[in-house]
Amino acid sequence: MSADEAKEVPVDVHKQEDTMGQATSSQGNEELGSARELTLMGGQPEYGLLQNHSDDSLSGQLDNMNSINAVSGDPSRSLGPVPEEDPDFEQRVPIPEEENAQPMKLFQLMFDKPEKYSFSFRKLWAFTGPGFLMSIAYLDPGNIESDLQSGFHANFQLLWILMLATLMGLLLQRLSARLGVVTGMHLAEVCYREYPKVPRIVLWLMVEIAIIGSDMQEVIGTAIAFHLLSNGKIPLYGGVLITITDTFVFLFLDKYGLRKLEAFFGLLITIMAITFGYEYITVAPDQTKVLAGLFIPRCQGCDKQAGLQAVGIIGAIIMPHNIYLHSALVKSRDVRREKKEAIKEANMYFFIEACIALLVAFIINLFVVSVFAEGLYKHTNAEIYNMCEAQDIAFNYTKYFPDNTNLVEKMDIFKGGLYLGCEFGAVALYIWAIGILASGQSSTMTGTYAGQFVMEGFLNLKWPRWKRIMLTRSIAILPTITIAIFKGVDDLTGMNDLLNVVMSLQLPFALIPILTFTSADTLMSDFKNGIISKIFCVLLAVAIIGINMFFVVTYVPSLPQHWAMYVLVAVILCAYLVFICYLVWYCLITLGVTFLKNIPIPCCSLTAQTYNLDGLAEEEDVGGTQESPTTEEPNSSKDNAHP
């Protein structure tokens, strides 16, 4: 059957339900005899949405069918109960039922059909958790260093970019949470079901690179924190080795239940807020300059380094693997997805929680930017040197701040701690180090969660969490400990700049899929993206890809000047752009540009998958050449299909 013929097949869902009910009652577990085809697209664009590669049984297909029918608001299309078991979470947090709750006008302005909504702090508390776990990625050591450098290079003038990047992140996290709530699948699982094998594997590798890069930043931050707290007695490589064991704290806490683990993450965020807030109060930045930096978009007198830092803020704030993580974390709540109103309510509470969590993260980031904008912008080495002379600092500060009148050229989380210790005493240094340690530890644990969901989702593979931790942490530690032993703190912290570039380069591999699937009518039904969300995401994707090209052009001259290096960069860049073009092609088809389906792409063509009542999946090539009828098996289900 061709793709066009599949659209014309009338589907009588009620009749199919009756047929299935009779067959089930009379034959038990026997196969259903009807060969009538049931397409999951229901007349929608046939590009393979809601494929189920992992379960060829009839029950698996019906569960997927019910996922879309529930959100469509048409009870007559429901083919069975939504599965209650979730392999990602052994226990899900129950949502309390509220009686006689009164609607609030604030939310009437925020959501569609507000008269059906009521607000309850008990329910908000039940939904609180996933957003704060997600927000930790906005507070990892890479972000802290990016904040520090933006204040150091551009004073308060990049605060508006920080705020804008956080708002963009909030909107992307909203899409991520909606995908998980509406479909009951996280983004990696949806990618596994919808993308062909080759692009799916490539996409998985790209996300894994982002996770490993983030893990390296967390290792660096934790090692520097231990180095500062011990007054240099724990060498950097010793701090790196300690991080081998600290991730197993996560496994220990995970056994005590999800809510206790979420409470521990809340404690770490509180520690960061207190420590960095203490530094903010101690430094006492000019509040007028802070407000001007937030609400006046400008960067007067900024040099090239400040411009690079402005671009780097986006890569540091919006983490690609965090979009995958949030779509999985929302599955920890017991949302009755067979009820449309329950899905709307869950989306509302998750969005409110994400707003609160990212507001807290933004305030902490603002603290860090302001501290170093006030204290280190346009300061000379001699000024810092004289401060250190007046304090009892255990570190060899003359190595980092020599007694000369040159401006301080480089700044990182290690030197930032030294500066705070020199100006405000050892207490400020230790408090800074505690904040960095909390940042590294919390990010390590969320990175472990993200890695677990991504691997299991993309590969449909169950792996013990401790094995996953050992693999990714080993990959992250090898280059880090090598630099820590043979180089020094400057080279170690300098890796954060490169890793932020890596994060930015991987961002399209989360942004484009989340736009694709949250815009798909066959997957999201009434909850698909509106025109404003689509326009925003498309513009954001274009901007990020442009930023990435700017990064590459700027970074290439710093590489070794050899023809082989240029060839390598050119090959990688071409492959990168080709894969992004494929994802964009797939996304545009989802957005309604259906003529693109006729473009043949070897190994990556889209498929229109249909299911007959025997539970057998059939695929039709949409983007490539059609199979010759002579090659079909004479007894195939296509021959038995009724027009």
Side-chain angles (χ1 to χ4, degrees):
M1 179 183 293
S2 67
D4 293 332
E5 291 172 344
K7 285 186 177 180
E8 298 174 359
V9 175
V11 179
D12 189 341
V13 178
H14 298 286
K15 187 173 182 179
Q16 290 167 356
E17 288 180 15
D18 294 338
T19 303
M20 287 184 288
Q22 295 169 5
T24 302
S25 61
S26 62
Q27 299 179 16
N29 294 328
E30 294 180 5
E31 293 184 350
L32 300 177
S34 173
R36 182 179 301 155
E37 292 183 348
L38 173 63
T39 177
L40 293 184
M41 267 63 80
Q44 300 297 332
E46 300 166 303
Y47 38 84
L49 288 171
L50 281 180
Q51 297 176 19
N52 189 343
H53 301 281
S54 61
D55 186 359
D56 290 334
S57 67
L58 177 62
S59 61
Q61 314 305 342
L62 297 184
D63 287 343
N64 273 345
M65 186 71 176
N66 188 60
S67 177
I68 179 175
N69 294 338
V71 300
S72 69
D74 184 1
S76 66
R77 296 180 62 194
S78 180
L79 299 181
V82 176
E84 293 296 329
E85 296 182 359
D86 191 332
D88 293 319
F89 298 96
E90 294 180 0
Q91 294 181 344
R92 290 190 289 177
V93 177
I95 307 302
E97 296 292 337
E98 290 289 337
E99 296 182 0
N100 301 322
Q102 298 298 319
M104 295 185 66
K105 292 184 178 180
L106 171 63
F107 303 104
Q108 292 178 359
L109 299 175
M110 293 173 60
F111 301 97
D112 56 336
K113 298 182 180 179
E115 67 277 2
K116 297 184 180 180
Y117 288 100
S118 59
F119 181 77
S120 163
F121 283 104
R122 285 185 64 211
K123 285 191 175 183
L124 178 60
W125 178 249
F127 281 103
T128 297
F132 280 92
L133 266 67
M134 166 273 297
S135 71
I136 286 173
Y138 291 71
L139 297 169
D140 71 342
N143 267 296
I144 300 302
E145 179 148 329
S146 176
D147 296 336
L148 180 155
Q149 291 186 359
S150 64
F152 171 69
H153 288 294
N155 203 247
F156 298 93
Q157 297 185 91
L158 297 182
L159 282 175
W160 65 276
I161 294 182
L162 174 66
M163 182 170 64
L164 184 62
T166 304
L167 288 174
M168 290 191 296
L170 172 63
L171 295 177
L172 291 176
Q173 300 300 159
R174 173 178 174 268
L175 297 183
S176 175
R178 285 169 69 89
L179 180 71
V181 171
V182 174
T183 67
M185 298 180 289
H186 56 73
L187 181 55
E189 290 175 325
V190 176
C191 290
Y192 173 80
R193 293 165 184 259
E194 308 310 330
Y195 285 124
K197 183 176 181 179
V198 172
R200 185 174 73 237
I201 296 299
V202 175
L203 191 60
W204 168 65
L205 291 174
M206 294 298 101
V207 180
E208 287 289 354
I209 289 173
I211 293 173
I212 292 171
S214 176
D215 205 29
M216 290 178 67
Q217 289 183 317
E218 291 142 15
V219 169
I220 293 170
T222 302
I224 290 175
F226 282 124
H227 189 61
L228 288 171
L229 287 170
S230 65
N231 286 327
K233 292 182 174 60
I234 297 178
L236 289 172
Y237 67 84
V240 172
L241 292 174
I242 291 174
T243 63
I244 296 176
T245 60
D246 63 7
T247 50
F248 288 94
V249 175
F250 167 75
L251 296 179
F252 174 76
L253 292 172
D254 195 33
K255 294 183 179 296
Y256 285 90
L258 180 63
R259 293 298 269 177
K260 292 183 175 63
L261 184 64
E262 290 173 347
F264 180 71
F265 280 112
L267 174 63
L268 293 176
I269 293 175
T270 303
I271 291 173
M272 284 186 274
I274 293 173
T275 53
F276 297 137
Y278 170 85
E279 307 291 1
Y280 182 84
I281 294 172
T282 302
V283 174
D286 188 333
Q287 299 304 303
T288 303
K289 293 181 179 178
V290 172
L291 292 175
L294 281 173
F295 299 108
I296 301 178
R298 62 174 183 175
C299 194
Q300 294 180 353
C302 292
D303 56 13
K304 179 181 178 181
Q305 188 61 41
L308 288 174
Q309 192 58 43
V311 174
I313 288 175
I314 297 176
I317 286 289
I318 307 175
M319 308 288 279
H321 62 279
N322 206 36
I323 297 174
Y324 288 86
L325 174 65
H326 198 194
S327 64
L329 292 175
V330 297
K331 295 171 61 180
S332 63
R333 268 48 185 179
D334 189 13
V335 178
R336 301 292 301 275
R337 291 194 305 108
E338 71 274 16
K339 295 183 178 180
K340 187 175 180 180
E341 294 304 317
I343 294 176
K344 288 185 177 182
E345 181 182 65
N347 286 334
M348 178 184 74
Y349 282 112
F350 279 131
F351 181 64
I352 294 171
E353 187 225 3
C355 289
I356 297 171
L358 290 189
L359 175 62
V360 173
F362 170 71
I363 291 173
I364 294 174
N365 284 317
L366 182 145
F367 286 163
V368 178
V369 174
S370 301
V371 164
F372 293 96
E374 183 73 24
L376 279 177
Y377 179 67
K378 299 295 185 183
H379 277 51
T380 64
N381 287 315
E383 290 176 298
I384 310 300
Y385 177 88
N386 293 331
M387 294 177 188
C388 295
E389 284 283 289
Q391 299 286 348
D392 184 17
I393 300 297
F395 294 93
N396 181 17
Y397 53 84
T398 59
K399 177 181 178 181
Y400 306 103
F401 304 110
D403 188 10
N404 59 46
T405 57
N406 297 332
L407 292 175
V408 179
E409 293 183 358
K410 295 182 179 180
M411 186 53 56
D412 51 51
I413 53 178
F414 174 74
K415 291 181 182 177
L418 286 185
Y419 152 71
L420 291 171
C422 289
E423 183 163 5
F424 303 106
V427 173
L429 184 151
Y430 295 141
I431 290 176
W432 169 259
I434 291 171
I436 297 297
L437 182 61
S439 171
Q441 290 301 290
S442 58
S443 301
T444 293
M445 296 176 190
T446 54
T448 301
Y449 248 145
Q452 188 79 9
F453 292 134
V454 165
M455 175 174 282
E456 292 180 355
F458 273 107
L459 303 182
N460 195 28
L461 172 68
K462 292 293 181 183
W463 222 30
R465 191 166 287 165
W466 69 269
K467 290 184 179 180
R468 165 76 200 186
I469 291 174
M470 291 303 296
L471 175 64
T472 55
R473 184 46 57 99
S474 298
I475 296 174
I477 280 178
L478 286 176
T480 308
I481 197 170
T482 301
I483 293 176
I485 293 174
F486 297 104
K487 294 291 185 178
V489 68
D490 287 336
D491 297 281
L492 193 63
T493 56
M495 287 180 65
N496 274 326
D497 295 332
L498 174 61
L499 293 172
N500 280 336
V501 174
V502 171
M503 295 294 106
S504 182
L505 288 172
Q506 305 308 313
L507 192 51
F509 304 126
L511 176 58
I512 298 175
I514 197 66
L515 170 61
T516 300
F517 299 126
T518 55
S519 300
D521 183 59
T522 51
L523 196 62
M524 300 292 287
S525 190
D526 293 347
F527 297 94
K528 67 180 179 180
N529 290 335
I531 186 65
I532 295 178
S533 295
K534 290 178 181 178
I535 292 174
F536 164 77
C537 289
V538 169
L539 293 177
L540 182 58
V542 171
I544 287 174
I545 293 172
I547 287 171
N548 290 342
M549 295 303 100
F550 174 76
F551 258 136
V552 171
V553 171
T554 304
Y555 191 74
V556 165
S558 65
L559 296 174
Q561 304 297 308
H562 192 275
W563 66 268
M565 181 61 66
Y566 288 116
V567 170
L568 178 62
V569 171
V571 171
I572 294 175
L573 182 60
C574 288
Y576 176 84
L577 292 176
V578 166
F579 187 55
I580 286 181
C581 287
Y582 169 79
L583 295 178
V584 170
W585 171 72
Y586 196 107
C587 181
L588 288 175
I589 294 175
T590 307
L591 295 176
V593 190
T594 55
F595 73 88
L596 294 175
K597 292 188 295 184
N598 299 319
I599 300 177
I601 298 182
C603 302
C604 301
S605 60
L606 300 178
T607 57
Q609 181 152 330
T610 60
Y611 298 98
N612 60 36
L613 292 182
D614 292 321
L616 301 176
E618 301 174 355
E619 293 184 355
E620 292 185 35
D621 193 354
V622 176
T625 57
Q626 298 286 342
E627 282 190 4
S628 172
T630 59
T631 63
E632 295 182 0
E633 294 293 331
N635 295 324
S636 68
S637 59
K638 288 185 180 182
D639 295 333
N640 298 327
H642 296 287

